[in-house]
Amino acid sequence: MEFLSYLVNGLSLGSVYAIIALGYTMVYGIAKMLNFAHGDVIMVGGYIVFVFMNQLGVSAIASVAAAMVVCTVLGVAIERVAYLPLRGAPSLAVLITAIGVSYFLQNMALLIWGSTPMSFSSIVSMEPLQLAGGRLVITGEALVTIGVSVVIMAALTLFINRTRLGRAMLAVSEDKGAAQLMGINVNATISLTFAIGSALAAVAGALLCSSYPILQPTTGAMPGIKAFVAAVFGGIGSVPGAMVGGVLLGIIEILSKAYISTQLADAIVFAVLIVVLLVKPTGLLGKKINEKV
């Protein structure tokens, strides 16, 4: 039962990584850029939920909805101000800008909310599920996190494959020039991608802080990096790959902490990524792209 308990915790943590990784993989798949400020949007989402729930007394669902709205606006603003002027710039310039935006968001949070860690109240009120005569206890946070990630994955897949906007996103990811010739607004499509990814980041921030209830300006830094690892692990640019990579990463991390060492868990996670990329450079579900010359 102990192993099953660790497995459920790994699925829960991995589901959060998967939701965050979806933002990374969508932006990379369409805009071909890495938004390293994505992890800090998670932190902003957590703070917005905290303010609405703890200081304004708003319900959990309404607080998460408010965080999604704020993070959506923030994500679009970041894209318009920081990344749109660099659309044709070298990838290194975009990467440096993303790191700068990340530090800007962290320091703004530091100025607004201070450096003292805050105790986050869980958005989940569900009672723990007890199985096998109480020997296996699954927290409400774990159940909700896993369920929400599955729903988000299914909804996002349907959106991308069945709607006009989703097909426009696929077209832009394949060839921006050809998509523009077909009448697709490339800039609006990229902004939509940032909006969706940022809204998902708000959800991920609320779920992450519910399971690990400490909120501070650097809360999103390490989860953001691990979610990026998950996206690469599953095959960056692949939506199913982000889900698979996130879940596997969470399971590996929790099992490493339980059976090997809590101090070496992060190193083991990155070592597994290195091994996977050595064997399959495109990631588990990534596709090899042949460039025409």
Side-chain angles (χ1 to χ4, degrees), residues 187-217:
N187 288 334
T189 303
I190 293 176
S191 293
L192 175 64
T193 306
F194 271 84
I196 294 173
S198 299
L200 295 181
V203 176
L207 294 173
L208 177 68
C209 292
S210 295
S211 298
Y212 303 90
I214 297 297
L215 181 60
Q216 54 190 352

Side-chain angles (χ1 to χ4, degrees), residues 25-47:
T25 205
M26 287 178 63
V27 169
Y28 181 82
I30 293 174
K32 295 297 182 290
M33 60 161 289
L34 298 174
N35 178 24
F36 279 114
H38 190 62
D40 298 289
V41 178
I42 301 166
M43 171 268 297
V44 172
Y47 272 113

